């Protein structure tokens, strides 16, 4: 690396922080449990939105549709029940379910813990049996 | 669980057509998939095949890991240009895996490579930002930088036209990946609350990273002995180096790029860690 490039890197590293969400995201586990629960998929028509045709898949996430996301209003009884279910789950030590995104993961439930990937994978070097140590 | 990765789905599909377009080299022209006019000894063919099957494996791992990283930077609120650049990096790793599989098939080797999907992603412990920084520094600032140098020498070594084209295509991309890694690495070193603790923790991993990359680069002895060994086998070459050739790239790349770069972005500890490594590998 020449001096100009090194100077450029030094300058880049000394600017103002860029990451919008970084300081409020302590780990990938915590926010998932603490994230606001997405509106429940009640299958019922939502305020101001046309009733879905029978057989139409239930609305999942705005990521899948190029349409504004309708606001879901729970009826008070339903909201109470949902709260009670959440409290019961917390009492039982059950972690909150990850948000339902409608994305299908190609992984079996309760799959074995994932081993760290040795970083040899990024190198254009022949693979050796002892190569790479988990970080 | 393991699975065999094949190039295409097998039916005439639009998705396959799109893939075929994407995997065309960005520069250096189309690859002509032929060994016409090339006579290879069994040893030359085996050396080439080993290199390209190994690359199909490592490039696919890069694809999987970088795709995971790309999704993590979304969660960190990174500017959109990070996502755009990452999208190219991911497309590039698709290209490299594809080229490697095709080289293997052309040389009479396997058409598929087997993977265990559990080895694809890295688990996240603690701060996601610290994890992303660690992975970028390790996989890009060090990994892609050394890899680029190895491909540069592999291109010089290659004598067979199809291999030259394939290595050129990969080299063009890897050069960008290293540059991207240093830029993102530097941006991730801008101080924030709790930064010094995260930085210090990462700095403590540098000696281990250096050792790990030395092993991956086939380093067995010190820089002087290594530099005195041949970098390339004689005869026809399909874009590979000797073990000592890869090790030479490690020493040269660490000295010229990795250690000064790490110092520049805010790891003064890199110099001491490298001197300790050299002291442990005399001669
Ligand atoms: Fe690659
Ligand atoms: Fe790469």
């Amino acid at each position: 690396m020449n001096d100009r490039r090194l100077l450029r890197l030094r300058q880049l590293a000394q600017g103002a922080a860029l990451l919008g969400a970084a300081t409020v995201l302590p780990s990938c586990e915590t926010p998932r449990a603490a994230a606001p629960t997405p509106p429940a998929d009640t299958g019922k028509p939502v305020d101001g939105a046309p009733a879905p045709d029978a057989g139409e898949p239930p609305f999942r996430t705005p990521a899948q549709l190029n349409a504004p996301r309708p606001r879901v209003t729970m009826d008070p009884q339903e909201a109470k029940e949902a709260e009670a279910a959440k409290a019961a789950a917390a009492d039982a030590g059950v972690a909150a379910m990850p948000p339902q995104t409608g994305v299908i993961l190609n992984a079996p439930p309760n799959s074995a813990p994932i081993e760290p990937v040795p970083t040899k994978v990024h190198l254009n070097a022949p693979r050796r049996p002892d190569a790479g140590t988990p970080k | 669980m393991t699975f065999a990765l094949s190039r295409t789905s097998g039916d005439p599909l639009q998705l396959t057509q799109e893939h075929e377009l994407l995997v065309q080299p960005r520069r250096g022209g189309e690859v002509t998939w032929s060994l016409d006019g090339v006579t290879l000894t069994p040893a030359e063919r085996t050396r080439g095949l080993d290199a390209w099957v190994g690359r199909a494996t490592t490039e696919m791992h890069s694809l999987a890991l970088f795709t995971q990283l790309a999704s993590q930077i979304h969660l960190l609120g990174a500017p959109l240009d990070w996502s755009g650049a990452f999208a190219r990096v991911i497309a590039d790793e698709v290209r490299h895996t594809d080229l490697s599989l095709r080289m293997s098939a052309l040389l009479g080797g396997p058409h598929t490579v087997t993977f265990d999907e559990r080895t694809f992603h890295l688990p996240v412990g603690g701060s996601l930002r610290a994890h992303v920084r660690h992975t970028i520094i390790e996989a890009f600032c060090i990994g892609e930088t050394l890899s680029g140098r190895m491909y540069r020498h592999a291109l010089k070594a290659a004598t067979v036209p199809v291999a030259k084209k394939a290595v050129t295509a990969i080299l063009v991309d890897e050069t960008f990946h290293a540059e991207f890694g240093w830029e993102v690495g530097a941006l991730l070193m801008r101080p924030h609350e709790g930064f010094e603790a995260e930085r210090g923790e990462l700095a403590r991993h540098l000696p281990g990273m250096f050792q790990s990359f030395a092993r991956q680069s086939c380093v067995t002895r010190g820089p002087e002995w290594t530099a005195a060994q041949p970098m390339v086998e004689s005869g026809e070459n399909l874009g590979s180096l000797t073990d000592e050739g890869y090790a030479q790239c490690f020493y040269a790349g660490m000295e010229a790029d990795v250690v000064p770069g790490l110092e520049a972005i805010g790891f003064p500890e890199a110099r001491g860690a490298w001197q300790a490594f050299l002291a442990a590998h005399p001669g």
Side-chain angles (χ1 to χ4, degrees):
Chain A
M1 263 189 224
N2 60 35
D3 288 347
R4 226 184 73 217
R5 203 168 153 213
L6 291 171
L7 176 66
R8 174 79 187 122
L9 287 179
R10 206 165 283 127
Q11 289 168 339
L12 272 181
Q14 285 165 357
L18 266 176
L19 296 178
T23 54
V24 293
L25 199 62
S27 88
C28 126
E29 295 311 316
T30 331
R32 178 166 279 201
T37 315
D41 180 17
T42 63
K44 290 183 183 169
V46 290
D47 279 359
D53 290 340
E56 188 183 313
F59 192 87
R60 292 293 185 201
T61 97
Q64 295 157 292
L65 283 179
N66 179 26
R69 180 168 199 168
R71 207 158 46 80
V72 177
T73 317
M74 268 193 207
D75 79 47
Q77 181 57 31
E78 232 176 325
K80 248 193 197 160
E81 281 167 16
E83 266 317 303
K86 233 164 73 184
D91 284 349
V94 179
M97 289 293 287
Q100 169 62 273
T101 62
V103 176
I104 295 160
L105 285 180
N106 181 26
N110 305 317
S111 56
I114 294 166
E115 293 296 319
V117 178
T119 46
K120 67 168 175 283
V121 302
H122 317 293
L123 268 185
N124 167 38
R127 289 158 66 78
R128 293 286 173 271
D130 64 335
T133 42
K135 66 184 186 193
Chain B
M1 202 194 290
T2 59
F3 69 95
L5 176 80
S6 51
R7 275 192 70 242
T8 61
S9 310
D11 289 300
L13 298 169
Q14 276 199 36
L15 71 89
T16 309
Q17 271 177 36
E18 199 61 33
H19 170 81
E20 300 291 7
L21 286 175
L22 182 104
V23 297
Q24 291 304 316
R26 290 174 65 103
R27 290 220 308 265
E30 241 181 78
V31 183
T32 305
W33 292 101
S34 156
L35 288 169
D36 284 357
V38 179
T39 313
L40 297 169
T41 67
E44 288 160 358
R45 184 181 292 264
T46 302
R47 264 200 297 278
L49 197 51
D50 281 353
W52 286 104
V53 171
R55 280 170 190 161
T57 307
T58 57
E59 297 292 349
M60 181 63 203
H61 274 286
S62 296
L63 169 60
L65 181 62
F66 297 169
T67 308
Q68 183 194 23
L69 260 180
S71 69
Q72 288 167 333
I73 61 158
H74 299 157
L75 304 184
L76 294 177
L80 190 61
D81 55 359
W82 292 34
S83 299
F86 239 124
R88 168 174 171 193
V89 171
I90 290 168
D92 292 346
E93 301 301 357
V94 173
R95 180 176 306 110
H96 304 170
T97 310
D98 191 276
L99 288 167
S100 303
L101 281 173
R102 288 192 81 158
M103 280 300 294
S104 168
L106 182 71
L107 292 167
H111 291 232
T112 64
V113 176
T114 301
F115 293 98
D116 182 337
E117 96 285 354
R118 287 169 303 176
T119 61
F120 277 164
H121 285 180
L122 282 178
V124 181
S127 151
L128 181 64
R129 176 179 48 205
H131 171 82
V132 166
R133 185 187 297 114
H134 190 134
T135 312
I136 293 275
I137 301 261
E138 191 166 12
F140 281 84
C141 299
I142 307 181
E144 295 284 329
T145 300
L146 295 178
S147 181
R149 185 174 286 263
M150 288 170 181
Y151 274 114
R152 240 180 356 259
H153 286 280
L155 178 58
K156 276 190 209 153
T159 58
V160 175
V162 63
K164 276 187 185 178
K165 285 274 187 180
V167 173
T168 301
I170 299 177
L171 174 59
V172 164
D173 297 336
E174 300 293 11
T175 305
F176 167 67
H177 297 182
E179 192 56 44
F180 165 80
W182 284 110
E183 288 185 357
V184 169
L187 295 175
L188 284 163
M189 293 297 286
R190 293 182 174 184
H192 52 72
E193 206 189 317
F195 170 74
E196 186 44 41
E198 292 181 6
R199 194 207 66 81
E201 179 58 24
L202 212 167
R204 276 189 289 284
H205 281 91
L206 291 176
M209 285 187 207
F210 292 177
Q211 277 170 27
S212 165
F213 278 107
R215 271 194 300 276
Q216 296 165 49
S217 308
C218 310
V219 168
T220 55
R221 294 177 60 177
E224 278 172 36
W225 177 86
T226 304
Q229 310 309 308
M231 193 172 224
V232 181
E233 310 265 6
S234 57
E236 294 286 6
N237 185 294
L238 290 147
S240 68
L241 306 178
T242 59
D243 283 4
E244 293 75 25
Y246 292 111
Q248 285 174 36
C249 293
F250 169 81
Y251 279 115
M254 291 296 291
E255 286 282 356
D257 301 322
V258 174
V259 175
L262 290 174
E263 287 180 304
I265 64 173
F267 289 106
E269 297 90 340
R271 183 62 53 186
W274 179 238
Q275 276 158 358
F277 179 93
L278 291 175
H281 294 79

